[in-house]
Amino acid sequence: MNHPSPAPELLQSSPRRELPQVMLEALRARFGERCSTALAVRQQHGRDESPFDVDPPDCVVYAQSNEEVAAVLTLAQQHGVPVIPYGAGSSLEGHLLAVQGGVSLDLSGMKQILRVNAEDLTVTVQAGVTRNQLNTEIRHQGLFFPIDPGADASIGGMAATRASGTNAVRYGTMRENVLGLTVVTASGDIIRTGSRARKSSAGYDLTRLFVGSEGTLGVITEVTLKLFPLPEAVSAAISFFPSIDAAVQATIQIIQMGVPIARCELLDANAIRAVNLHDRLGLREAPMLLMEFHGSQASVAEQAQLVQEIARDLGGEDFEWATTPEARSRLWTARHHAYLSALQTRPGCRCVTTDTCVPISRLAESINESVREVEEAGLPYFIVGHVGDGNFHLGYLIDPAVPAERETAERLSAQMVQRALRLEGTCTGEHGIGLHKQGFLVDEAGEGAVALMRQLKLALDARNIMNPGKIFTL
């Protein structure tokens, strides 16, 4: 199946629902100035990093506690009004768009770190805590939380989208690092899933049900996470390759050799060119691997030596090592600024970005074919990727005033996804389904599996008020 441009059809099939005046008045009575219908506020909460333009929500409510979230959902349940959880607004697939109107429920004010258990390597935080805030506050205890999706996303949003990022090759994704949740259900009940124990065989795994549910089953308000000791030694390195294929082959060999590399990121020449213009880094404009090693001084040195030998055999050149935090930060600037830097290379453009993930042995085939197709099409593009676990992102830079460019980008995105599925991969490694990839979910999981997902959704949210129109249609 091909789904070249799914969003317009989905938007047409998602009529907006009215926010009754009686509900709006009840929200204003409860929240005062923290309930806003100001256009600027609604527009801020009605736009993410996806290329879709949708009318904003009818109002925005800023919640500060579990009980306040429950109050909003109780009212929404009574009146059948959609509720869209909002964290940092950094999603890429239209997750927070108010396709049926309703209330944007902003959790950014829920920023308390509730409990740090250093001896057990766990922490419990409110959903609005961001990953940078968390790491800043626990660093003095010799701990860190490794999941790094690039943006300074909220922990609640990261759990809801099953985020991963640059450290996933060693530390896993949010799925592996969330131990328990507090969730407010569509009926306004406050429930808790999981515990601080590292394993359990007690009943259904409700924690994993809500992790990755994209706000469609309930609102995540608190998260209990695994923490890790700060490594004794950290070293970062970059190496430039004669081709993307050579860089990917080096990655494959690193993983297959069992090197416990913490990060292994790919930036193509287009991404390097963009960050050079944005940050004046002066990097060589060629495919680059950006790597990081964690461990003892001896183990980091051993890992680095082995990786350098692998890279050299595949044409890797201009190794640059960084062992101080300042030097590592300079190298990682290239990766974290790649998306925004690329947008600035074509003023006024929008980015249609697609991520897929395939078995590591099929990664070179997936990337090489995707590059060939976009170059034949003539669209500006860039590639970044967490290639250590088979995940990469391709961003197509389009002129929003030229419909043909959007159509071409969607066609190329669909071809890239279908290729990943043929190679026994997934349509999204970390972006999630949201609004954009609903047809691809059917292709990947099958009609029967998606039908079961719909049954679960309706069992927990019979009135379809939780972020309706996302993941699949009802």
Side-chain angles (χ1 to χ4, degrees):
M1 294 288 291
N2 234 0
H3 306 278
S5 186
E9 294 179 8
L10 292 171
L11 295 177
Q12 292 169 10
S13 65
S14 298
R16 292 177 72 88
R17 306 189 216 173
E18 180 183 358
L19 175 62
Q21 187 65 28
V22 63
M23 178 176 168
L24 181 57
E25 290 174 356
L27 290 172
R28 285 172 170 162
R30 174 69 185 259
F31 293 94
E33 293 183 354
R34 289 188 286 121
C35 173
S36 176
T37 56
L39 180 60
V41 174
R42 293 189 294 117
Q43 287 178 331
Q44 175 196 350
H45 288 74
R47 172 77 182 271
D48 61 6
E49 295 296 330
S50 74
F52 308 122
D53 293 312
V54 175
D55 289 338
D58 298 303
C59 79
V60 177
V61 173
Y62 296 85
Q64 296 180 347
S65 68
N66 295 336
E67 290 71 24
E68 288 190 346
V69 172
V72 173
L73 288 176
T74 299
L75 282 169
Q77 178 76 5
Q78 291 172 3
H79 296 282
V81 172
V83 174
I84 306 99
Y86 184 96
S90 57
S91 61
L92 291 162
E93 301 291 353
H95 295 92
L96 58 82
L97 302 183
V99 295
Q100 296 185 22
V103 177
S104 177
L105 183 58
D106 190 316
L107 306 179
S108 62
M110 298 180 66
K111 299 185 73 69
Q112 294 184 50
I113 295 177
L114 300 171
R115 182 179 181 186
V116 179
N117 295 94
E119 300 88 349
D120 298 319
L121 299 177
T122 66
V123 63
T124 299
V125 303
Q126 288 186 311
V129 171
T130 67
R131 65 177 186 87
N132 283 339
Q133 176 194 349
L134 174 58
N135 278 321
T136 296
E137 296 199 26
I138 62 176
R139 186 177 296 122
H140 71 281
Q141 298 186 57
L143 302 171
F144 83 117
F145 180 64
I147 308 303
D148 174 14
D152 189 21
S154 67
I155 297 298
M158 289 169 63
T161 56
R162 202 184 301 134
S164 53
T166 60
N167 279 314
V169 62
R170 176 158 181 171
Y171 297 99
T173 72
M174 288 298 284
R175 180 184 65 185
E176 290 80 35
N177 286 283
V178 173
L179 292 170
L181 300 169
T182 298
V183 177
V184 182
T185 68
S187 59
D189 294 324
I190 301 172
I191 67 168
R192 290 174 173 80
T193 76
S195 68
R196 290 199 304 112
R198 289 297 173 118
K199 64 180 183 179
S200 172
S201 59
Y204 294 152
D205 192 345
L206 297 180
T207 302
R208 298 298 171 273
L209 178 63
F210 285 103
V211 171
S213 62
E214 302 183 14
T216 63
L217 300 180
V219 179
I220 295 171
T221 58
E222 296 174 9
V223 187
T224 299
L225 301 164
K226 296 179 185 177
L227 298 178
F228 293 81
L230 283 168
E232 172 190 337
V234 177
S235 180
I238 57 175
S239 182
F240 297 90
F241 290 82
S243 66
I244 289 180
D245 185 67
V248 173
Q249 292 298 335
T251 303
I252 293 172
Q253 290 193 27
I254 290 167
I255 301 304
Q256 291 179 341
M257 289 285 290
V259 179
I261 194 167
R263 291 171 162 175
C264 188
E265 297 287 301
L266 169 71
L267 286 83
D268 75 341
N270 295 331
I272 297 293
R273 189 172 303 114
V275 296
N276 277 344
L277 287 170
H278 185 269
D279 295 303
R280 297 183 176 87
L281 294 179
L283 296 169
R284 178 177 168 185
E285 293 179 1
M288 181 185 83
L289 284 185
L290 172 54
M291 300 161 281
E292 194 166 274
F293 309 91
H294 297 177
S296 66
Q297 296 285 354
S299 68
V300 164
E302 182 181 358
Q303 293 172 45
Q305 177 65 29
L306 179 55
V307 167
Q308 188 166 359
E309 292 173 4
I310 292 171
R312 188 181 297 116
D313 289 344
L314 288 160
E317 298 176 340
D318 297 345
F319 260 80
E320 180 181 339
W321 296 97
T323 55
T324 66
E326 295 78 15
R328 291 198 309 274
S329 177
R330 174 184 172 273
L331 294 183
W332 281 103
T333 294
R335 174 60 183 92
H336 288 319
H337 287 186
Y339 177 78
L340 294 177
S341 299
L343 289 177
Q344 294 184 23
T345 63
R346 193 180 187 191
C349 75
R350 299 284 289 271
C351 184
V352 176
T353 181
T354 294
D355 86 307
T356 59
C357 188
V358 297
I360 189 72
S361 63
R362 312 306 296 272
L363 182 61
E365 179 180 351
S366 184
I367 293 181
N368 290 337
E369 283 298 301
S370 299
V371 169
R372 180 186 61 78
E373 289 172 351
V374 67
E375 290 189 342
E376 288 178 355
L379 271 186
Y381 73 96
F382 68 98
I383 291 176
V384 294
H386 318 308
V387 289
D389 57 7
N391 185 198
F392 75 100
H393 310 254
L394 203 158
Y396 307 96
L397 302 175
I398 65 166
D399 183 342
V402 181
E405 290 196 7
R406 170 66 183 273
E407 292 171 4
T408 298
E410 294 289 359
R411 173 177 59 82
L412 293 171
S413 173
Q415 291 171 191
M416 177 175 154
V417 168
Q418 295 301 332
R419 180 178 307 108
L421 298 183
R422 288 196 302 272
L423 298 176
E424 300 180 271
T426 177
C427 65
T428 175
E430 59 185 6
H431 286 184
I433 297 298
L435 179 66
H436 197 195
K437 291 193 170 184
Q438 296 184 24
F440 300 138
L441 177 63
V442 177
D443 293 344
E444 177 175 332
E447 292 282 1
V450 174
L452 181 57
M453 295 180 198
R454 289 191 178 99
Q455 291 178 36
L456 288 169
K457 161 75 170 172
L458 290 172
L460 273 66
D461 179 19
R463 300 199 70 179
N464 190 25
I465 65 169
M466 295 306 313
N467 204 9
K470 314 299 166 54
I471 302 182
F472 43 70
T473 57
L474 290 176

